[in-house]
Amino acid sequence: MGFSKEKRRLKIRKRVRKTITGTPVKPRLSVFRSNNDIYAQLIDDVNGVTLASASSRDKEIDVTDKTKSEASVIVGEAIAKKALDKNIDSISFDRGGYLYHGRVKSLAEGARKGGLKF
C-alpha cells in the first residue's frame, strides 16, 4: 500500500520546508491550491508574519470566464504587485508539496512577469 495523494504531498511539503524559510528581506511565497481556487501568501518566517496575500477569490481580482491556469497567472501578478508595493522584489518560492506544473507553475510565471525575482 502506498501513500494517499494528500499524505504524499504533506511528506514532500515537510521536506521542502526544511530548506526554504522566509526572512523580512526575502519572504517565502507559499502556494495553496484547492480544487477551484489558488491562494498565495508572502510569509516572513523569522517573525511569523504574513506580509501579503492574494487569491482567486479576492474581490479585486476578476477571474470570471477564465480557466484555472489563467486565474493563477493573474493571482501571481497580483501578489507581485503587492510585494513590490512593500519594497520586496526577491522571494523564496514554496510550492507547498505540489509539482511545479500546471497552476503552480502558472502562478510562479505570473509573479515573475509582475517583477518578482526567485
Side-chain angles (χ1 to χ4, degrees), residues 3-20 33 93-100:
F3 285 107
S4 68
K5 270 188 182 179
E6 187 62 19
K7 283 187 179 176
R8 181 190 148 279
R9 184 181 84 79
L10 291 174
K11 192 174 166 188
I12 294 168
R13 184 171 179 227
K14 284 181 182 175
R15 189 170 62 225
V16 169
R17 283 283 289 121
K18 280 183 198 172
T19 57
I20 296 175
R33 185 186 65 157
F93 189 71
D94 175 10
R95 59 191 172 89
Y98 302 109
L99 295 175
Y100 187 77

Side-chain angles (χ1 to χ4, degrees), residues 26-87:
K26 188 175 180 176
R28 172 170 59 98
L29 176 60
S30 175
V31 176
F32 175 72
R33 185 186 65 157
S34 72
N35 282 342
N36 298 317
D37 299 302
I38 192 154
Y39 306 82
Q41 288 183 317
L42 287 174
I43 302 169
D44 168 12
D45 290 314
V46 175
N47 299 316
V49 179
T50 298
L51 304 172
S53 66
S55 82
S56 55
R57 299 191 64 176
D58 290 350
K59 287 178 177 55
E60 63 269 8
I61 298 173
D62 184 29
V63 293
T64 51
D65 302 329
K66 301 261 191 295
T67 64
K68 290 188 229 179
S69 289
E70 289 168 345
S72 298
V73 173
I74 294 167
V75 171
E77 291 171 353
I79 195 76
K81 183 181 181 310
K82 288 181 180 184
L84 293 173
D85 289 345
K86 294 185 180 243
N87 294 324

